C-alpha cells in the first residue's frame, strides 16, 4: 500500500533536490511539495510502522497507525518549526496516535469486562501459520510471543522507552527530546523497564504463563 | 526508581558502585571511552554489579527474540482460505479409500478367493487413487488461479484507495490555499479601509488648517487697513 502511495507521489512532479529531512519538510510546509513528502514517507515509513507495531503489539494496527501518522504529518505541516529536528516532530505524532489507540483499546476492554477478549493487542496474529514448522522455529515463535506480551504488560512510559532505545536505536538524549523529559528520567525508566521485563520473562519462561502486573498506566501525550 | 546518577556505596570492600543509569548507558554503548573502561574494570572486580549487568543483558537478549514478520503477498487468512478446500478434498478421498478398503476386506473374507480379491482390490485402489489425484490437481490449479485473481484485485483496490487518498490530500491542500487567500484578501481590505479613513482624517484636518489660515490672513489684512486708516487720519490732523 505504501509503495503504491510512493509511486503515485513520485509521478506527480520533477525530482526535488532536498538534502535533509528538515529541508524536505520545509518544502512540504511552504510549497506542499509532493516529491519532498514522498521522500519523507519513503525514509520514515518502516521505522514508524515498527514503532506503532511494537507499541500496540499488532502489525495491522501498526500499518494503520503509520498511514495515519503520515496523513496527520501532512495536515499539520504548517505547525512544523524548522528549528527542531524533523524526526522528533514525526516520532511525537506517531506516539500520540499510538497513545490514543491504546486508550481506545483499553476503554473497549473495560467496557466488555472480558479477560478472554484481549483485543488485537493480545491476539496471536503475528505468529499464526498453517504450515508445519520445525520444533526450534516453534520455540522461537513462542519466545517472540512471550516477549511481545511482556512488553505489552509494561506501562506506556516504560514501553515507549524500550521501543525507542532497544528496537529503534535512538540515543537516550534523543528519546528525552521526543518525550520532553530529562535524560536521567529516560535512563531511570529504561532501568525500571528492564527490571520489570526480567521479572515478567523469567516468570513466564519458568511457569509458562504471563504474570499480570498491576502497573498504573498514566495518560500520555506529547506536545507537537 | 530515582532519577539521580549518584553512585552508591557497597558494604564490603568500600567499592563505589556505578549507578544503574550509568550501567544502562554502558550497556547501550553511550559512554565516553574513559568512563566505559572504568565501568568495565569495576565490573571485573565486583560480583554484585557483574550479576546485575548479566541480568540486564539477558533481558536485552530476550527482547531481541521479537522480530517483526516480513509482510507477504498474501495474508495468513488468505493462505489458509486457499488451502482449506484442498485439505477437505484430500480428507474425502481418504474416507472413500478407507470405505473401499473395509468393504474389500469383508468381501474377501466371504469369498475365500484371496488372489482374485487382492487383484480386484488393487485395481479398485489404483482407480480411486488416480481419480482423487486428478481431482486434487484440478482443484489446486483452480485455487491457484483464484489466488492470483485475488492478488490482482487486492492490488487494484489498494491502488484505487491510494488514488482516493491522494485526491483527498490535494483537495485538502486546495481548501487550505483558498482559505489562506481569502484571509489575505480580507486583511488587505481591512488595511485599505484603514488607510482610506486615515486619508480622510488628514484631509479634513488640512482643510481646517487652510480655513483657519485664510481667516487669519483676512483678519491681519483688516487690521492692516485699520492701521493704515488710523495713520492717514493722524497725518491729516
Amino acid at each position: 500500500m505504501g509503495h503504491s502511495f510512493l509511486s503515485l507521489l513520485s509521478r506527480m512532479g520533477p525530482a526535488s533536490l532536498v538534502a535533509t529531512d528538515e529541508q524536505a519538510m520545509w518544502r512540504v510546509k511552504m510549497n506542499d511539495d509532493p516529491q519532498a513528502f514522498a521522500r519523507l514517507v519513503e525514509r520514515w515509513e518502516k521505522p514508524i510502522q515498527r514503532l506503532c507495531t511494537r507499541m500496540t503489539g499488532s502489525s495491522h494496527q501498526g500499518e494503520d497507525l503509520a498511514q495515519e501518522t503520515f496523513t496527520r504529518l501532512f495536515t499539520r505541516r504548517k505547525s512544523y518549526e524548522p528549528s527542531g529536528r524533523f524526526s522528533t516532530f514525526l516520532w511525537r505524532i506517531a506516539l500520540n496516535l499510538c497513545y490514543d489507540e491504546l486508550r481506545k483499546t483499553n476503554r473497549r476492554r473495560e467496557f466488555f469486562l472480558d479477560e478472554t477478549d484481549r483485543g488485537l493487542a493480545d491476539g496471536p496474529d503475528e505468529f499464526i501459520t498453517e504450515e508445519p514448522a520445525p520444533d526450534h522455529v516453534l520455540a522461537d515463535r513462542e519466545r517472540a510471543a512471550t516477549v511481545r506480551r511482556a512488553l505489552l504488560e509494561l506501562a506506556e512510559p516504560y514501553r515507549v522507552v524500550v521501543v525507542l532505545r532497544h528496537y529503534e536505536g535512538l540515543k537516550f538524549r534523543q528519546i528525552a527530546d521526543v518525550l520532553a523529559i530529562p535524560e536521567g528520567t529516560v535512563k531511570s525508566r529504561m532501568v525500571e523497564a528492564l527490571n520489570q521485563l526480567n521479572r515478567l520473562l523469567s516468570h513466564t519462561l519458568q511457569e509458562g504463563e504471563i504474570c499480570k502486573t498491576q502497573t498504573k498506566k498514566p495518560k500520555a501525550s506529547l506536545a507537537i | 526508581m530515582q532519577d539521580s546518577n549518584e553512585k552508591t556505596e557497597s558494604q564490603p570492600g568500600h567499592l563505589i558502585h556505578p549507578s544503574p543509569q550509568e550501567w544502562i548507558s554502558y550497556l547501550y554503548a553511550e559512554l565516553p571511552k574513559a568512563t566505559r573502561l572504568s565501568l568495565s574494570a569495576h565490573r571485573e572486580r565486583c560480583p554484585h554489579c557483574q550479576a546485575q549487568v548479566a541480568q540486564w543483558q539477558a533481558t536485552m537478549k530476550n527482547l531481541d527474540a521479537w522480530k517483526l514478520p516480513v509482510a507477504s503477498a498474501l495474508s495468513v487468512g488468505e493462505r489458509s482460505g486457499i488451502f482449506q478446500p484442498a485439505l477437505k478434498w484430500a480428507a474425502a478421498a481418504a474416507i472413500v479409500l478407507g470405505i473401499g478398503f473395509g468393504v474389500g476386506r469383508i468381501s474377501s473374507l466371504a469369498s475365500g478367493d484371496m488372489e482374485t480379491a487382492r487383484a480386484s482390490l488393487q485395481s479398485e485402489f489404483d482407480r480411486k487413487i488416480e481419480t482423487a489425484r486428478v481431482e486434487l490437481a484440478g482443484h489446486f490449479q483452480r485455487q491457484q488461479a483464484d489466488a492470483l485473481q485475488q492478488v490482482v484485485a487486492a492490488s487494484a483496490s489498494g491502488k484505487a484507495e491510494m488514488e482516493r487518498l491522494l485526491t483527498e490530500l490535494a483537495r485538502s491542500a486546495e481548501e487550505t490555499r483558498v482559505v489562506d487567500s481569502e484571509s489575505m484578501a480580507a486583511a488587505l481590505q481591512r488595511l485599505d479601509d484603514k488607510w482610506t479613513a486615515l486619508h480622510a482624517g488628514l484631509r479634513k484636518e488640512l482643510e481646517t488648517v487652510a480655513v483657519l489660515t485664510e481667516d487669519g490672513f483676512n483678519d491681519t489684512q483688516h487690521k492692516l487697513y485699520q492701521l493704515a486708516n488710523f495713520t492717514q487720519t493722524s497725518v491729516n490732523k
Side-chain angles (χ1 to χ4, degrees):
Chain A
M1 204 164 175
H3 293 299
S4 306
F5 191 34
L6 285 177
S7 61
L8 276 169
L9 285 173
S10 65
R11 286 201 296 269
M12 288 184 68
S16 303
L17 295 173
V18 283
T20 65
D21 292 335
E22 284 74 21
Q23 288 173 351
M25 190 59 209
W26 179 252
R27 280 175 177 270
V28 173
K29 176 180 178 173
M30 300 310 291
N31 309 323
D32 297 345
D33 185 344
Q35 194 72 12
F37 189 64
R39 182 192 183 281
L40 291 172
V41 175
E42 185 178 26
R43 163 81 177 80
W44 285 98
E45 186 184 24
K46 293 293 175 199
I48 293 298
Q49 198 170 316
R50 285 199 304 266
L51 169 80
C52 297
T53 300
R54 304 260 191 213
M55 284 300 291
T56 60
S58 160
S59 62
H60 301 301
Q61 278 181 310
E63 283 175 28
D64 290 347
L65 288 171
Q67 291 284 344
E68 209 174 327
T69 299
F70 288 105
T71 305
R72 189 169 285 190
L73 173 70
F74 190 77
T75 55
R76 294 197 178 171
R77 63 195 182 284
K78 299 293 179 193
S79 63
Y80 169 69
E81 292 298 333
S83 55
R85 288 181 68 159
F86 166 75
S87 58
T88 303
F89 184 69
L90 187 63
W91 288 123
R92 283 181 180 178
I93 290 176
L95 281 173
N96 278 333
L97 285 169
C98 287
Y99 292 146
D100 290 346
E101 185 63 29
L102 289 167
R103 271 183 220 128
K104 281 184 215 162
T105 307
N106 286 338
R107 273 202 294 272
R108 279 199 294 272
R109 194 176 299 168
E110 285 164 10
F111 179 76
F112 287 112
L113 291 173
D114 184 358
E115 275 302 304
T116 58
D117 180 20
R118 298 288 289 168
L120 286 170
D122 267 5
D125 58 326
E126 313 302 316
F127 310 102
I128 287 176
T129 176
E130 293 294 321
E131 296 164 12
D135 285 351
H136 69 275
V137 175
L138 283 173
D140 286 351
R141 205 168 283 157
E142 183 55 39
R143 268 184 70 205
T146 303
V147 170
R148 185 181 69 122
R149 284 194 295 268
L151 207 55
L152 289 174
E153 289 290 322
L154 292 183
E156 286 161 20
Y158 299 115
R159 195 189 315 158
V160 67
V161 172
V162 174
V163 172
L164 289 176
R165 176 56 267 199
H166 190 84
Y167 291 112
E168 293 307 319
L170 269 70
K171 302 285 182 197
F172 289 118
R173 177 70 259 161
Q174 290 173 275
I175 298 173
D177 286 344
V178 171
L179 302 180
I181 55 176
E183 189 177 347
T185 305
V186 176
K187 290 179 184 174
S188 297
R189 287 184 185 178
M190 190 72 195
V191 171
E192 179 59 20
L194 286 184
N195 288 338
Q196 284 190 26
L197 282 170
N198 178 57
R199 282 194 294 275
L200 288 165
L201 291 172
S202 59
H203 184 263
T204 304
L205 293 174
Q206 284 165 11
E207 303 291 334
E209 61 175 13
I210 291 286
C211 170
K212 303 268 189 301
T213 52
Q214 299 296 322
T215 49
K216 189 184 175 187
K217 299 185 177 181
K219 285 186 176 181
S221 64
L222 300 166
I224 297 165
Chain B
M1 182 59 61
Q2 305 227 337
D3 287 350
S4 70
N5 283 325
E6 288 173 11
K7 298 179 182 192
T8 51
E9 284 192 27
S10 71
Q11 287 82 10
H14 303 290
L15 276 176
I16 304 293
H17 295 290
S19 68
Q21 289 81 7
E22 281 179 299
W23 279 124
I24 283 296
S25 299
Y26 171 83
L27 286 169
Y28 281 100
E30 284 196 36
L31 285 178
K33 190 178 177 184
T35 317
R36 185 158 43 85
L37 290 175
S38 162
L39 263 70
S40 292
H42 177 90
R43 186 182 167 189
E44 288 294 317
R45 64 178 188 275
C46 175
H48 174 262
C49 288
Q50 220 170 70
Q52 178 63 78
V53 169
Q55 193 181 66
W56 283 326
Q57 279 179 323
T59 305
M60 288 162 66
K61 194 179 173 189
N62 278 330
L63 284 174
D64 292 334
W66 184 16
K67 294 177 177 61
L68 294 182
V70 179
S72 59
L74 286 175
S75 71
V76 170
E78 285 166 331
R79 266 185 284 148
S80 62
I82 288 165
F83 290 111
Q84 264 177 359
L87 290 172
K88 283 178 189 168
W89 275 99
I95 290 167
V96 169
L97 285 173
I99 291 169
F101 181 75
V103 170
R105 282 284 298 246
I106 293 164
S107 64
S108 70
L109 286 173
S111 69
D113 190 353
M114 294 294 286
E115 287 304 317
T116 312
R118 188 175 292 128
S120 163
L121 207 58
Q122 184 66 44
S123 66
E124 183 69 9
F125 276 169
D126 289 346
R127 193 178 60 77
K128 285 185 184 299
I129 287 170
E130 182 58 23
T131 309
R133 192 188 66 77
V134 169
E135 283 181 358
L136 277 174
H139 192 74
F140 271 120
Q141 281 178 353
R142 283 194 298 278
Q143 290 297 331
Q144 279 178 344
D146 288 348
L148 194 62
Q149 281 179 353
Q150 282 177 17
V151 169
V152 170
S155 168
S157 74
K159 190 178 173 185
E161 175 66 13
M162 275 304 98
E163 282 173 351
R164 190 191 61 74
L165 185 62
L166 199 61
T167 310
E168 211 168 276
L169 282 177
R171 190 175 52 75
S172 168
E174 185 55 32
E175 282 173 5
T176 309
R177 204 174 288 129
V178 168
V179 169
D180 287 351
S181 64
E182 281 174 356
S183 305
M184 183 62 79
L188 283 172
Q189 185 60 46
R190 280 198 299 275
L191 201 63
D192 191 47
D193 292 346
K194 203 172 173 181
W195 186 84
T196 306
L198 190 65
H199 182 259
L202 279 173
R203 186 184 175 87
K204 194 176 175 183
E205 284 176 12
L206 200 61
E207 283 173 356
T208 308
V209 169
V211 168
L212 289 176
T213 308
E214 193 177 355
D215 287 350
F217 279 145
N218 290 337
D219 191 40
T220 306
Q221 195 176 14
H222 181 67
K223 281 178 180 171
L224 281 172
Y225 276 127
Q226 280 182 341
L227 186 62
N229 288 337
F230 178 75
T231 309
Q232 188 66 40
T233 310
S234 302
V235 170
N236 291 339
K237 281 181 181 176

